[in-house]
Amino acid sequence: MNVVPEITRKSITDLINNLERPDSRALDEYREISLETGVISKAEGSARVKIGSSQIIVGTKSQLGSPFPDTPNVGVIMTNSELLPMAAPEFEPGPPDEKSVELARVTDRCIRESQMVDLEKLCLVEGKKVWMIFIDLHILDYDGNLMDAAVLGAVAALLNTRIPKATMVDDEIVIDYENKEPLPIREKALMCTFAKIGEQMVLDPSLAEEEILSARLSIGMTESGNICALQKGGATPLTKEEIMNAVKITEEKTKELMEYLP
Amino acid sequence: MNVVPEITRKSITDLINNLERPDSRALDEYREISLETGVISKAEGSARVKIGSSQIIVGTKSQLGSPFPDTPNVGVIMTNSELLPMAAPEFEPGPPDEKSVELARVTDRCIRESQMVDLEKLCLVEGKKVWMIFIDLHILDYDGNLMDAAVLGAVAALLNTRIPKATMVDDEIVIDYENKEPLPIREKALMCTFAKIGEQMVLDPSLAEEEILSARLSIGMTESGNICALQKGGATPLTKEEIMNAVKITEEKTKELMEYLP
Amino acid sequence: MNVVPEITRKSITDLINNLERPDSRALDEYREISLETGVISKAEGSARVKIGSSQIIVGTKSQLGSPFPDTPNVGVIMTNSELLPMAAPEFEPGPPDEKSVELARVTDRCIRESQMVDLEKLCLVEGKKVWMIFIDLHILDYDGNLMDAAVLGAVAALLNTRIPKATMVDDEIVIDYENKEPLPIREKALMCTFAKIGEQMVLDPSLAEEEILSARLSIGMTESGNICALQKGGATPLTKEEIMNAVKITEEKTKELMEYLP
Amino acid sequence: MIIIITEDTNLGAKSREDGRAFDELRPLKIEAGVLERADGSAYLEFGGNKILVAVYGPKESHIRRFQRPDRAYIRCRYNMAPFSVDDRKRPGPDRRSMEISKVTAEALQPSILLEKYPRALIDIFIEVLEAEGGTRCAGITAASVALADAGIPMKDMVVACASGKVNDQIVLDLSEVEDKEGQADLPVAIMPRSGEITLLQSDGSLNAGEFEKAVDLAVEGCQAISKVQQDALKKRYGE
Amino acid sequence: MIIIITEDTNLGAKSREDGRAFDELRPLKIEAGVLERADGSAYLEFGGNKILVAVYGPKESHIRRFQRPDRAYIRCRYNMAPFSVDDRKRPGPDRRSMEISKVTAEALQPSILLEKYPRALIDIFIEVLEAEGGTRCAGITAASVALADAGIPMKDMVVACASGKVNDQIVLDLSEVEDKEGQADLPVAIMPRSGEITLLQSDGSLNAGEFEKAVDLAVEGCQAISKVQQDALKKRYGE
Amino acid sequence: MIIIITEDTNLGAKSREDGRAFDELRPLKIEAGVLERADGSAYLEFGGNKILVAVYGPKESHIRRFQRPDRAYIRCRYNMAPFSVDDRKRPGPDRRSMEISKVTAEALQPSILLEKYPRALIDIFIEVLEAEGGTRCAGITAASVALADAGIPMKDMVVACASGKVNDQIVLDLSEVEDKEGQADLPVAIMPRSGEITLLQSDGSLNAGEFEKAVDLAVEGCQAISKVQQDALKKRYGE
């Protein structure tokens, strides 16, 4: 738990109330974003994403497994996140805490509910064998707004993923590692996160902003403008107007973000 | 760990040495008992039991599983207890501690050793498939004497349990959820718990009494008067006379308790 | 963590710099060693080893299991160590710490890499069924130099092990507990541990020596003089000369140690 | 397996599987002060949901993690009983319950005058005894009543309700079946006096128009439930 | 599988599977002071049981949970070695060992003058190296000797022994086979001077008469074992 | 499955599977100062290995276990990313990573002037992003650069490299395939100024002569890598 000095809190808040930000960005402007894919050869898909100095490596791995009993004909996506102790002085080694779990689950919902991956195509034998795609978020450097970076990185890694071709030959599953195929991808989705500070909502909060935010709003949106995931955080309420305004900005900004995808 | 003021300890002990109790009960008298069954629709059997203000919800669930290797032809009963942090200020969230484990294991022994449930009838395929009955003790409010409440609630929940009819059709197990059947119940057993305070043994200790008891004795007994489980607790010894006297009272009191069962 | 008084540290170091030791041993001399096998009837192999007052019981158990995917035709050895809280005032109950894990893994490497047990003979059905041999190191009393005691005890227990004869009869594995066979043992290996104190390397450090050592070197060697495992420990470097000298002493001392084996 | 037969002739406002109108809540019952040991408690039945909440505190904590120099810390634990769902749930926290515990604490926090109790700990224990869709909202609603029952000073009494999209229609308060088979689920908590939103999640697909409609509908549901909360407290403490 | 052939002609006092009389103990051996590092220790063989106990303390503890303002705290850990039973036991505590640790601490506590060492911790570590029925009683018996060996002041030396019902007969000191196939098992610990009972459990079916007989028989067994405890200490420390 | 075709005509110095000479290192690249939050950091690529190291400290620690009265305490955590190996690795420490964390801390400790910071904690976090044989040595090499980048005062910069025996030949810097199929693997770390050895392990079979040759070869490899470490720091901080 970081205690931010009152004077810092006040000076940032005053800036933002005047529609300015510590790093001179516009309120609805992202920091510099960089995205590379295919950075880990042993992963089946991978991406390194940076938003400002926040840095995440995302790797995917496929594995044959059993479907969930209530959805016997669809593949499974499992998203896991590690807020590595390397990423910030306040992170400690140990099992995922609730911050880490929230990050993984919101990323997972954004991908799952956008129906970006056609999970039915990942079913080999109904009720028996489906592909399980593991998405591992490895948080290396924490400089604010992990949510948007995580979703951007995860989507890029999925686009980059190649899984072995699996076919049924005489009741046996043959997995052909020589022939790898991309995942069946449909409409993509990304996420925009806002922080409420003072009277304003700012897009893509930096670490300094995140430490003093009173509320957080993350909106996942598909290319066609559907909200596929949304998560409010923080200990202060938001008005409906603030939320609807953020939705409007997200419509525009997701388009911008999509251009970073491979 | 609660530290009881010396003056409270002394005043209760003095009362009991005079054959009186803080809540005016006789030494061998239960507090008010209430018992409802079928309180949780999604459980296969359930009961809510209150002794004084101690309150437990017991739920049962059945599941097909493998028998233990050394008892291939009998079903399995698994009893689990959670001393929820809700139930008392001193209970903390976390895995079951030794108090919780003892409660579950003594309840389990009372039910198992009374042979109340005819476990052989829960075997479908010898060595392969048997019914496993999970009994979950959910402790909501802790006002003393959880043992007797747990056993009473567990027995009531078992009596209330309906499991799907399972039959073998052409080497396949068919589980018919439309036809549910009660468990094969034989002679029932219940439990009476005594606390040694001062020179006396008192039945059904309240919380105030439990906090100052020097020894505890829990006796599980079948309808026909057989002792099927017994557990001494506490840091003070008991004489054989005290124990035999408690057995005698239990013979009478289990009969009383049985009348609460559905 | 034990803090050793500076005066003790100095007096032992001075002694050793003068080529003497607190218990009057030569620098390359073991304390008294005792070794019994077959001490635990329910284990398939067992040994009790004492070096000085350090005492370990080692027990082995066999179990049929699956081979590792990358070595489908060889059996499996699993070595586990428990630094019991009984063994020293500073050991606490709980899962194995890194000291315990290192002890188990170095013991395991010494046995595995010496190829002492012919693991191919422990394969029943390639890729499907192999024998798994569990070696459990139960540390009862900690008086320094657990490494050499652990390896000596583990090797003795393996030599003492009798596993049931398993044969394939019509595609079924038949395990015959009436006919037990020794493990397929080839060339044996043992371990010698040195402590650097002051300017010298001493063999078989006692507890008092271990508490002030600056570096530790454990060398596992086969009967024919091959180094099969080696582990440096401690926070001070060693020179190549010190290491090569220790190797030379080990060649001689492993032969001595071998004579304790049954 | 649960087979649900839906008649094709069901139309308009009454098209939901359980026959409710699109803006109709399931039957709701709240009782305050149901436990002996807890400082405050509440029991809630909402459709097939059965929720029990206990509150302890404000109290001293010896655990550094649970201390804040300028205010009380809220520890919230959402937990499902093993028998509360169709397949027995293994005891102990999982990822879902960890996330719900977090957002529940955040949903309740704005209403509580935490600065009155620096360094103190307030424990909120939510037990789902039976689950039938919408347990996180039901838990928040019950927790507010338990906080009030514990005498914790609050600005307002947070209340929660979900809306969502089922069969292309925006509806209030999804049942378990609607949650599973529906297109979107949107849990909302508000402070009813100001109408401000303290919990908002969304899971599924909604365009901006549907989203706004769903938020409005959920807020309406919250306002209705808020009255039942107040009645529960009145019933216990008098007007 | 273990096949045990019992001759039908075995009758009366010699009817047990291993040929013992109904009131006959298995061979017993106790040795005090067997470990270097522990403050006190004891090794016990009882039938096929092999038990080692170490005692540390009274010592200072930094852990709040293990402190009592007015007396020493006893921490007891009963543990089975992985190789002590037929199928390898996974290392670490399980529910059975947790319960036994608890009742063992309670069985020993009445004999120890805890009030002499406020805030201190006494550690009792019981290791079952080989198990053949009756390990909890054997552990208690050995622990008393280890406590005495550690110089912990005691009023008396607790001793334990089980009785039970096998083939409709009340017998002393059940072996592993008798424990598994028998009708009841009744572990008892006493303070031999006063005859008071500090541990009592029962598992199985006994009517009141059988129960009383079993208690009496176990107490007799305890008294006999008590002498072996004393001999072990005499052997180590002289008369 | 990985099928590797080796040509029979490869002879002498070029007989290794990837065509390297027996004393040839894989391509190596080190960069210092790659993370924002950490006090010091380094990124290393070595053959197919990708390693990232962060250092925090010296800092105050509230945890007793991590305090030493007369010097700083080093906590080292070697961790593999789930996607760093062929089959996904479950997150969290395992026995292998626990051992590597321990020997890594011991390998680095001799170079650090710990006595300058009594009671302080220095955290070294090593993340294996991709593994292809020799990760523990690569982690130590990168950790030294990260320590220097954090401004931690050191006597020397520890550097590590493995040698081993493959196809009856002593070779430098085993690849993943050579590690798996080879006869011995010998990781070594040294302080390059004195040539003293701070890490030494051996896994496999070597006679005394081979062992000595392997140690010598590894030390040579270390000296070569040491220059790359220095270049990385010069590149960041200038000469």
Side-chain angles (χ1 to χ4, degrees), chain A residues 42 61 86 136 138 141-142, chain F residues 36-37 85 88 131 176:
Chain A
K42 294 210 172 174
K61 286 275 187 191
M86 134 183 308
D136 280 292
H138 221 56
D141 212 352
Y142 168 47
Chain F
E36 175 73 15
R37 298 298 299 280
V85 283
R88 178 175 184 268
E176 185 174 35

Side-chain angles (χ1 to χ4, degrees), chain B residues 113 115, chain E residues 16-17 163-171 174-186 203-206:
Chain B
E113 297 299 333
Q115 303 186 16
Chain E
R16 297 172 75 177
E17 314 234 14
S163 59
K165 184 177 173 187
V166 181
N167 294 326
D168 293 325
Q169 197 186 6
I170 302 301
V171 297
L174 275 60
S175 69
E176 185 174 35
V177 176
E178 290 175 328
D179 189 0
K180 264 189 200 150
E181 300 181 357
Q183 296 145 290
D185 179 32
L186 187 111
D203 193 359
S205 187
L206 293 171

Side-chain angles (χ1 to χ4, degrees), chain C residues 77 106-119 135 151 154-155 158 184-191 220-230 254 258, chain F residues 183 202-206:
Chain C
I77 287 184
V106 172
T107 303
D108 193 74
R109 278 208 286 276
C110 187
I111 287 164
R112 184 193 313 270
E113 297 298 332
S114 68
Q115 303 188 14
M116 203 182 110
V117 182
D118 188 350
L119 293 178
I135 301 174
V151 175
V155 171
L158 287 172
I185 301 284
R186 299 190 289 206
E187 197 193 12
K188 297 183 286 285
L190 290 174
M191 181 164 276
M221 195 172 275
T222 64
E223 287 169 290
S224 57
N226 280 324
I227 297 166
C228 54
L230 185 148
T254 355
M258 289 284 173
Chain F
Q183 295 145 291
S202 183
D203 193 359
S205 188
L206 294 171

Side-chain angles (χ1 to χ4, degrees), chain B residues 160-214:
Chain B
N160 177 248
T161 298
R162 299 293 177 271
I163 62 171
K165 200 178 163 97
T167 41
M168 295 296 301
V169 178
D170 297 340
D171 263 24
E172 290 259 336
I173 298 173
V174 176
I175 304 177
D176 182 357
Y177 283 93
E178 308 264 302
N179 281 300
K180 296 206 170 185
E181 297 182 318
L183 291 174
I185 300 284
R186 300 189 290 207
E187 197 193 12
K188 298 183 286 285
L190 290 173
M191 181 164 276
C192 291
T193 291
F194 300 82
K196 176 154 189 195
I197 295 167
E199 306 299 315
Q200 299 297 324
M201 299 276 277
V202 303
L203 182 65
D204 177 32
S206 67
L207 178 68
E209 291 167 342
E210 230 174 67
E211 284 175 342
I212 64 158
L213 62 70
S214 59

Side-chain angles (χ1 to χ4, degrees), chain B residues 12-199:
Chain B
I12 298 178
T13 308
D14 287 349
L15 261 183
I16 289 175
N17 280 341
N18 288 322
L19 311 185
E20 294 175 53
R21 295 173 80 170
D23 51 10
S24 311
R25 282 185 285 157
L27 297 198
D28 64 351
E29 188 182 345
Y30 269 99
R31 289 168 293 172
E32 199 181 321
I33 293 174
S34 79
L35 181 65
E36 293 166 83
T37 52
V39 294
I40 303 294
S41 318
K42 295 210 171 176
E44 286 170 350
S46 62
R48 178 197 304 258
V49 61
K50 289 180 73 170
I51 299 187
S53 289
S54 279
Q55 186 177 170
I56 303 180
I57 291 202
V58 185
T60 63
K61 286 274 186 192
S62 66
Q63 209 173 284
L64 281 180
S66 308
F68 289 113
D70 50 344
T71 52
N73 63 332
V74 300
V76 172
I77 286 183
M78 313 270 276
T79 305
N80 179 61
S81 141
E82 283 206 78
L83 294 186
L84 298 174
M86 131 185 309
E90 68 271 21
F91 294 174
E92 275 290 309
D97 65 357
E98 59 183 27
K99 193 170 173 172
S100 178
V101 164
E102 186 185 36
L103 178 62
R105 283 177 60 84
V106 171
T107 302
D108 192 74
R109 278 207 287 276
C110 187
I111 287 165
R112 184 193 314 269
E113 297 299 333
S114 67
Q115 303 186 16
M116 204 182 109
V117 182
D118 188 347
L119 292 177
E120 296 193 10
K121 294 208 173 126
L122 297 183
C123 175
L124 276 120
V125 188
E126 186 170 332
K128 295 273 167 77
K129 283 284 168 207
V130 300
W131 281 112
M132 304 173 71
I133 310 294
F134 288 89
I135 302 174
D136 281 291
L137 307 171
H138 222 57
I139 317 298
L140 307 177
D141 213 351
Y142 168 47
D143 187 36
N145 195 14
L146 293 177
M147 288 274 186
D148 297 1
V151 175
L152 185 57
V155 171
L158 287 171
L159 293 171
N160 177 248
T161 298
R162 299 293 177 271
I163 62 171
K165 200 178 163 97
T167 41
M168 295 296 301
V169 178
D170 297 340
D171 263 24
E172 290 259 336
I173 298 173
V174 176
I175 304 177
D176 182 357
Y177 283 93
E178 308 264 302
N179 281 300
K180 296 206 170 185
E181 297 182 318
L183 291 174
I185 300 284
R186 300 189 290 207
E187 197 193 12
K188 298 183 286 285
L190 290 173
M191 181 164 276
C192 291
T193 291
F194 300 82
K196 176 154 189 195
I197 295 167
E199 306 299 315

Side-chain angles (χ1 to χ4, degrees), chain E:
Chain E
M1 221 218 305
I2 301 164
I3 299 166
I4 289 144
I5 298 153
T6 51
E7 292 188 39
D8 288 330
T9 51
N10 268 351
L11 288 169
K14 285 284 184 197
S15 68
R16 297 172 75 177
E17 314 234 14
D18 52 8
R20 281 188 284 152
F22 78 96
D23 61 350
E24 191 179 343
L25 294 167
R26 288 171 289 178
L28 170 64
K29 201 180 86 179
I30 309 179
E31 193 180 343
V34 295
L35 296 175
E36 175 72 16
R37 298 297 299 280
D39 295 329
S41 59
Y43 176 69
L44 176 149
E45 288 188 7
F46 192 24
N49 294 300
K50 296 192 177 73
I51 314 268
L52 186 61
V53 181
V55 167
Y56 285 93
K59 61 182 182 183
E60 212 188 331
S61 170
H62 298 297
I63 304 168
R64 220 193 178 102
R65 243 176 339 130
F66 301 146
Q67 289 175 356
R68 293 294 175 272
D70 55 341
R71 58 175 179 87
Y73 181 84
I74 293 181
R75 179 170 63 165
C76 179
R77 182 182 186 256
Y78 167 100
N79 185 52
M80 297 188 101
F83 44 73
S84 65
V85 283
D86 284 324
D87 293 317
R88 177 176 184 266
K89 193 201 155 290
R90 275 188 55 189
D94 56 17
R95 285 158 47 113
R96 177 177 171 276
S97 70
M98 283 173 75
E99 185 193 345
I100 295 181
S101 296
K102 179 178 191 288
V103 297
T104 298
E106 289 173 335
L108 293 166
Q109 189 166 332
S111 70
I112 306 174
L113 300 174
L114 296 174
E115 57 284 1
K116 289 213 165 184
Y117 305 99
R119 310 203 146 270
L121 172 65
I122 297 173
D123 264 326
I124 302 173
F125 299 119
I126 300 174
E127 287 295 323
V128 179
L129 302 175
E130 186 156 5
E132 200 244 325
T135 57
R136 86 187 60 189
C137 288
I140 291 168
T141 297
S144 283
V145 177
L147 283 162
D149 184 48
I152 309 247
M154 294 191 290
K155 290 205 276 266
D156 200 349
M157 217 159 51
V158 172
V159 57
C161 185
S163 59
K165 184 177 173 187
V166 181
N167 294 326
D168 293 325
Q169 197 186 6
I170 302 301
V171 297
L172 186 63
D173 179 29
L174 275 60
S175 69
E176 185 174 35
V177 176
E178 290 175 328
D179 189 0
K180 264 189 200 150
E181 300 181 357
Q183 296 145 290
D185 179 32
L186 187 111
V188 174
I190 64 165
M191 298 213 286
R193 284 188 198 158
S194 65
E196 288 174 309
I197 291 167
T198 70
L199 170 98
L200 183 62
Q201 296 184 284
S202 183
D203 193 359
S205 187
L206 293 171
N207 65 35
E210 292 167 334
F211 173 75
E212 184 164 13
K213 204 170 154 193
V215 171
D216 288 341
L217 192 57
V219 169
E220 275 174 45
C222 287
Q223 295 287 5
I225 293 170
S226 175
K227 295 200 178 57
V228 185
Q229 286 179 316
Q230 288 161 26
D231 289 346
L233 287 171
K234 277 182 203 150
K235 195 173 161 198
R236 178 150 166 85
Y237 294 104
E239 304 279 326

